Amino acid sequence: MTYLMTQMLLCLLLAFLLGVLFGWWLGRRGLKERIQELEDRGERRHDECRSELESCRKERDRCGEDRKALEKQLATCQAELEACREQVRMAVDAGRASGGGGSQPMGLADLGPTETSPVETGPVETSPVESSPVETKEMSVAETAAAVAAAVDPKAKDDLKKIEGIGPKIESLLNAKGVKTWVQLAAAEIAFLRSVLDEAGPRFRMHDPGSWPRQAELAAADKWDELETLQDQLKGGREA
C-alpha cells in the first residue's frame, strides 16, 4: 500500500514538473515572439521617423532656396523702387523748374489760372471763362490735378492718411482731384488744398492744410523719424 502511494506521488510530482517545464517553455516562446514583434514594430517606426526626417530636411532645403530667391527678388524690387522714387523726384523738380520760372517752386495752384491773378484775368476781358471767378477756380483745380498726376506714375498711390490732419474722407477728396501720392501732396500749394476743402463743404473748411506739404515731403523721403517728431508738435494738422 505504501509502495503504491509512493509511486502515485512520484507520478504526480513528475507530471507537475513536466507541466511546469512545459508552461515555462510556452511562456518563454511567447515572450520571444512578443519581444520580436516589439522589435519589428520599433524598427518600422524607426524607418518611418527616418523617412519623415529626410522629408523635413528636403523641405528645409527647399524653403532655404525659396527664401534666398525671395530675398533676391526683394532686393531687386527695392532697387526698382528707389529708381522709381528718384525718377519721381526728378520729374517733380523738372515740373517745378518749368512751371515756376526758377523763382518759386511749382505748386498745384501755379499750374492753372486763378481768380486772384491780375495778369491773366485783367487784360482778357472778352473771355467769359476767365471773367467768371467761379469758373476760373474750377478750371484751376482740374488743370492742376491733371498736371501733377502727369508728373508721376498714374497708378501710384500712397496712404495719405499717414499725414496728420488727413482722414479717409479728405484722402478721397484729394484723390478725386488727382493728389494720390506724397510727392503730389508735397508739391501742392496751400491755396489749392484750401480750395479743395472749401469745395467739399463746411465740415471740411475747419481743417488746416498748412502742414500737409511738409509732412508729405518727409514721408516721400522716408524720413519717418522727422515726420513723427513734426507730428508730435501738431494737433489735427495744426501747430499745437
Side-chain angles (χ1 to χ4, degrees):
M1 185 69 180
T2 303
Y3 177 76
L4 291 175
M5 291 181 65
T6 302
Q7 292 295 325
M8 291 177 63
L9 290 174
L10 289 175
C11 290
L12 291 174
L13 179 60
L14 181 61
F16 174 76
L17 292 176
L18 290 175
V20 170
L21 291 173
F22 184 72
W24 174 80
W25 180 78
L26 289 177
R28 183 178 180 182
R29 181 178 179 181
L31 182 61
K32 285 184 177 180
E33 292 178 353
R34 179 62 177 170
I35 292 173
Q36 185 65 34
E37 181 181 355
L38 292 175
E39 289 179 352
D40 294 340
R41 184 182 300 177
E43 289 179 358
R44 288 195 298 270
R45 182 58 182 166
H46 176 71
D47 294 338
E48 292 175 358
C49 292
R50 179 176 293 178
S51 178
E52 292 178 359
L53 178 61
E54 291 297 329
S55 299
C56 292
R57 287 176 177 173
K58 292 180 180 179
E59 184 69 21
R60 182 197 61 186
D61 295 338
R62 185 168 61 254
C63 291
E65 294 176 357
D66 293 342
R67 185 191 66 183
K68 292 180 180 179
L70 291 174
E71 288 177 352
K72 291 181 180 179
Q73 293 180 2
L74 178 60
T76 303
C77 291
Q78 288 178 346
E80 293 178 354
L81 177 61
E82 291 298 328
C84 290
R85 286 178 175 171
E86 185 62 26
Q87 291 179 0
V88 168
R89 294 191 185 99
M90 293 175 63
V92 172
D93 292 341
R96 289 177 177 175
S98 62
S103 58
Q104 293 181 352
M106 184 188 70
L108 293 179
D110 294 330
L111 296 177
T114 61
E115 59 181 353
T116 58
S117 175
V119 177
E120 297 181 0
T121 59
V124 187
E125 297 179 356
T126 59
S127 175
V129 176
E130 295 180 354
S131 62
S132 174
V134 176
E135 294 181 359
T136 302
K137 186 174 184 179
E138 292 178 353
M139 289 183 62
S140 175
V141 171
E143 291 176 0
T144 52
V148 173
V152 296
D153 185 0
K155 297 182 180 180
K157 184 177 180 181
D158 293 324
D159 186 5
L160 301 183
K161 296 188 295 296
K162 292 184 179 293
I163 305 303
E164 179 73 19
I166 297 180
K169 294 292 185 180
I170 296 180
E171 182 184 35
S172 63
L173 292 175
L174 295 175
N175 290 164
K177 297 300 183 181
V179 181
K180 299 182 180 180
T181 65
W182 295 320
V183 174
Q184 291 174 326
L185 183 58
E189 287 288 346
I190 305 299
F192 168 75
L193 299 176
R194 290 188 185 278
S195 68
V196 174
L197 297 176
D198 291 341
E199 291 178 3
R203 59 177 296 189
F204 297 99
R205 293 172 185 169
M206 60 189 300
H207 295 277
D208 184 5
S211 65
W212 296 356
R214 174 56 179 164
Q215 295 185 61
E217 182 180 353
L218 295 175
D222 290 335
K223 298 180 180 180
W224 300 107
D225 293 337
E226 297 183 18
L227 177 59
E228 184 178 359
T229 302
L230 175 60
Q231 290 179 345
D232 290 340
Q233 303 173 0
L234 302 175
K235 184 175 181 181
R238 298 184 178 93
E239 294 186 1

